[in-house]
């Protein structure tokens, strides 16, 4: 997970859970189930993550299990990211109790979860809480947790506040995700949607679909400010497609996507083929539809992207990825 290989982590956790179940080791089962849930949450698969996390928490509830604080904190965070402030607050209370029961174990995770709960509740102290989580993690040399907390600040709209520190911490962590965290902050501070698009692709490549969706959603606004409406629509398309796979995600960064006019998956497919030089007849043959259907779809694409015709389509598509 720390290396950004959340899909591999989920597979390993599932295999470990099966071995523990076969050996009738309930505590080990709960441990693997918890890590499985955390790995799924990192991918943005919030519903599946909550199923695993609740099973893990239920298996050890009432006992002195240090990992329970982290599991409960992740439940609170996932519920908050789905916009369920009530469920998130309830899970956070459990996380606080679990942490206190074992002398403060997992304290930074719990405080970070409280930042997301605050955001879901519409309170103004979410960033302050995330910064506090980063401070607590740093005090006990939990570099990865500090990085996650600092990145939480970036996701909550405070990239400028954490830019210097997140760059320093990201350099201390191995794997492809840490540099992307820092690059996201740099791009946001610079107001550079092209760089944000590149960061979104890195996140998507490594299975962090919710992060990819959030970054692409931020790029939409920057494209619009620059007057690049076609690029904004394409960024919105990517954000909505990624977010649509995140099982109910409703984070602050995604809030602006509600009414965005975007291309459908079929429109992107046809636009890409047309921009690559294929005729309407060739596209129709490949997709097994009529030429008239292809032409009608293309005219709709031209309207959405604000381009006069096929010749300008390739530039508009490249702008959606690179600008």
């Amino acid at each position: 997970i720390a290396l950004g290989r959340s899909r591999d982590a989920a597979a390993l956790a599932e295999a470990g859970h099966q071995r523990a179940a076969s050996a009738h080791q309930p505590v080990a089962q709960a441990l693997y189930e918890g890590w499985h849930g955390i790995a799924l949450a990192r991918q943005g698969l919030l519903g599946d993550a909550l199923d695993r996390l609740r099973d893990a928490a239920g298996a050890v509830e009432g006992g002195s299990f240090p990992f329970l604080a982290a599991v409960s904190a992740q439940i609170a965070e996932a519920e908050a990211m789905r916009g369920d402030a009530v469920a998130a607050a309830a899970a956070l209370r459990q996380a606080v109790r679990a942490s206190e029961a074992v002398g403060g174990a997992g304290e930074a995770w719990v405080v970070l979860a409280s930042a997301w709960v605050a955001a879901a509740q519409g309170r103004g102290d979410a960033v302050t809480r995330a910064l506090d989580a980063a401070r607590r993690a740093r005090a006990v040399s939990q570099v990865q947790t500090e990085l996650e907390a600092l990145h939480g600040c970036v996701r909550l709209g405070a990239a400028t506040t954490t830019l210097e520190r997140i760059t320093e911490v990201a350099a201390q962590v191995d794997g492809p995700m840490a540099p992307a965290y820092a690059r996201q902050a740099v791009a946001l501070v610079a107001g550079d949607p092209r760089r944000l698009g590149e960061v979104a692709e890195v996140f998507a490549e490594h299975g962090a679909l919710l992060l990819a969706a959030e970054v692409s959603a931020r790029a939409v606004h920057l494209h619009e400010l620059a007057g690049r409406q076609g690029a904004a629509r394409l960024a919105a398309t990517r954000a909505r497609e990624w977010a649509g796979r995140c099982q109910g995600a409703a984070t602050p960064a995604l809030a602006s996507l509600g009414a965005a006019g975007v291309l459908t998956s079929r429109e992107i497919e046809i636009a890409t083929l047309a921009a690559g030089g294929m005729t309407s007849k060739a596209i129709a043959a490949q997709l097994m539809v009529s030429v008239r259907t292809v032409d009608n779809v293309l005219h709709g694409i031209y309207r959405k992207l604000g381009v006069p015709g096929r010749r300008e389509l390739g530039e508009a598509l490249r702008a959606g990825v690179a600008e």
Side-chain angles (χ1 to χ4, degrees):
I1 292 176
L3 294 175
R5 295 165 54 191
S6 55
R7 287 174 293 201
D8 291 342
L12 289 171
E14 174 63 19
H17 178 266
Q18 292 176 1
R19 289 195 301 271
S22 298
H24 305 290
Q25 298 173 328
V27 174
Q29 283 181 249
L31 183 65
Y32 281 117
E33 195 83 280
W35 279 118
H36 194 182
I38 291 170
L40 291 171
R42 292 291 189 273
Q43 295 174 59
L45 303 177
L46 300 180
D48 292 342
L50 284 167
D51 289 342
R52 305 304 192 285
L53 292 163
R54 290 181 186 128
D55 286 347
V60 294
E61 190 173 6
S64 181
F65 186 55
F67 195 47
L68 179 59
V71 169
S72 299
Q74 185 66 76
I75 292 173
E77 190 173 300
E79 292 284 20
M81 289 181 181
R82 286 171 45 138
D84 192 337
V86 174
L92 180 62
R93 289 192 292 271
Q94 182 181 37
V96 171
R97 289 194 299 269
S99 179
E100 291 175 346
V102 289
E107 182 180 49
W109 279 35
V110 174
V111 176
L112 178 56
S114 78
W116 286 102
V117 174
Q121 293 172 333
R123 289 162 40 196
D125 61 341
V127 172
T128 300
R129 288 174 176 269
L131 287 171
D132 185 29
R135 179 184 60 79
R136 292 169 187 264
R138 185 179 184 182
V140 292
S141 300
Q142 295 177 345
V143 178
Q144 180 65 40
T145 304
E146 181 185 1
L147 180 61
E148 294 291 342
L150 293 170
H151 190 232
C153 294
V154 175
R155 296 172 68 186
L156 291 167
T160 302
T161 303
T162 59
L163 179 60
E164 182 177 351
R165 182 58 186 165
I166 197 172
T167 302
E168 293 175 359
V169 177
Q172 302 172 34
V173 178
D174 293 329
M177 296 292 283
Y181 286 176
R183 288 170 59 197
Q184 179 183 349
V186 170
L188 284 169
V189 172
D192 188 339
R194 177 189 62 81
R195 292 183 183 178
L196 284 178
E198 293 171 352
V199 171
E201 293 294 342
V202 171
F203 286 149
E205 179 184 352
H206 291 89
L209 299 180
L210 180 52
L211 297 184
E214 289 182 346
V215 173
S216 196
R218 296 293 191 195
V220 172
H221 177 61
L222 294 176
H223 280 306
E224 289 175 340
L225 288 177
R228 293 187 289 264
Q229 297 304 318
R233 291 188 181 99
L234 286 171
T237 295
R238 289 177 172 83
R240 294 186 75 175
E241 286 186 345
W242 286 323
R245 295 160 61 186
C246 291
Q247 303 172 340
T251 60
L254 299 179
S256 63
L257 290 175
V262 296
L263 302 184
T264 65
S265 297
R266 175 48 67 93
E267 286 173 331
I268 290 177
E269 183 178 22
I270 291 176
T272 301
L273 293 174
M278 289 183 67
T279 64
S280 293
K281 183 177 181 179
I283 294 172
Q286 178 168 320
L287 301 182
M288 292 184 291
V289 297
S290 70
V291 175
R292 176 175 292 183
T293 294
V294 172
D295 285 336
N296 287 340
V297 171
L298 282 171
H299 285 303
I301 292 169
Y302 301 152
R303 287 194 300 273
K304 286 186 177 183
L305 298 185
V307 298
R310 187 183 298 248
R311 179 177 298 178
E312 295 79 12
L313 186 57
E315 184 179 349
L317 291 173
R318 288 191 294 274
V321 177
E323 292 186 3

